[in-house]
Amino acid sequence: MLAQFVLFDGFDPLDVIAPYEVFSAAGNFTDQVRVELVSAEGTREVPSGIPGVSLTAAAPLDPSRADLIVVPGAAGTLPAGTDDPAGGPSGATIPVLIGNSLTTELPGLLAKALATPGTTVATVCGGSLVLAMAGLIKGRNAMTHHQGVDLLARNGVTVVRARVVDDGDLVTAGGVTSGLDLALHLLDREIGPKIALAVEHLFAHERRGVVWRDQGAVPQPSPFDTAQGAAAGMSSSASASA
């Protein structure tokens, strides 16, 4: 299994490093996993959104080779003096950083990945916004950082407020630290629970939350929710009377 981890200018380092290290550590226990840092442009030094932190893409993003492609979100601002392909200032906000990534070959490569049978695209934090803003996951179930859920929904995505959302060939996670849980879930799903548990023990980290899948019984409204709604209605009526 080849897992490629995408880098673009302004990426969030933890979004990449946490899941990358999970899959890299799996190599201590199995020969079934390989990892690569990649970019749409190929081999290059890629500046993150954290000043002074960059990573080197060792290969081009290649959906024809990868079994798993992990897309991070953005962080901070572009380093001073970095060219902004969108023509904006170096002090770019996260949505602008993500928008800049869409001016590269990245959206086309991710579209190809989503169309390739057997290839899974996973995202951490704002990585799902990269896909959503590119128009690639309309109607799909996904999650992002809690500050970006409105933007995700505005791009036609069904927001599921879970730490990890497994929608088949699209697996997404919430805020930055959820990259650990995303990677352990994928390791469990693709390689098996014994390897995933071995990595959990190595990292002294237990996965958090329930992984959401579109299966099983649908929760019905609870009496507590109904009672809360009635109480809110009574409160509004009392305020209006006053």
Side-chain angles (χ1 to χ4, degrees):
M1 175 186 186
L2 174 60
Q4 291 193 327
F5 295 80
V6 176
L7 305 177
F8 58 83
D9 289 359
F11 71 91
D12 187 316
L14 188 56
D15 288 2
V16 175
I17 291 299
Y20 179 91
E21 190 166 352
V22 167
F23 276 88
S24 180
N28 294 318
F29 308 107
T30 179
D31 60 2
Q32 297 182 56
V33 178
R34 294 180 295 130
V35 294
E36 289 181 344
L37 293 175
V38 300
S39 79
E41 299 79 15
T43 304
R44 70 182 182 100
E45 192 79 6
V46 186
S48 78
I50 305 300
V53 178
S54 62
L55 292 174
T56 301
L61 170 59
D62 187 350
S64 67
R65 293 178 57 236
D67 303 290
L68 169 66
I69 293 170
V70 181
V71 184
T77 62
L78 286 170
T82 301
D83 290 335
D84 181 345
S90 292
T93 63
I94 288 175
V96 173
L97 290 168
I98 291 175
N100 290 348
S101 74
L102 303 184
T103 67
T104 71
E105 297 299 317
L106 182 58
L109 291 167
L110 293 176
K112 182 179 178 181
L114 286 166
T116 301
T119 299
T120 296
V121 176
T123 68
V124 182
C125 200
S128 56
L129 292 175
V130 174
L131 298 176
M133 291 169 66
L136 299 178
I137 55 172
K138 287 182 180 178
R140 299 295 299 266
N141 301 295
M143 183 51 178
T144 188
H145 189 282
H146 63 85
Q147 292 180 331
V149 293
D150 290 343
L151 180 57
L152 193 63
R154 286 200 298 273
N155 280 275
V157 177
T158 300
V159 174
V160 179
R161 291 181 179 270
R163 190 164 175 82
V164 176
V165 176
D166 187 331
D167 202 36
D169 63 351
L170 174 68
V171 184
T172 59
V176 286
T177 59
S178 63
L180 287 170
D181 303 300
L182 173 92
L184 286 165
H185 166 66
L186 287 168
L187 197 58
D188 186 339
R189 192 183 86 167
E190 303 297 330
I191 306 299
K194 295 178 182 179
I195 300 300
L197 182 61
V199 176
E200 276 195 358
H201 286 167
L202 180 64
F203 282 21
H205 172 79
E206 294 184 359
R207 279 176 279 179
R208 292 176 51 196
V210 174
V211 175
W212 182 93
R213 298 177 179 85
D214 191 9
Q215 61 189 46
V218 176
Q220 300 299 314
S222 72
F224 180 73
D225 291 336
T226 303
Q228 274 193 323
M234 290 175 63
S235 177
S236 298
S237 299
S239 297
S241 299

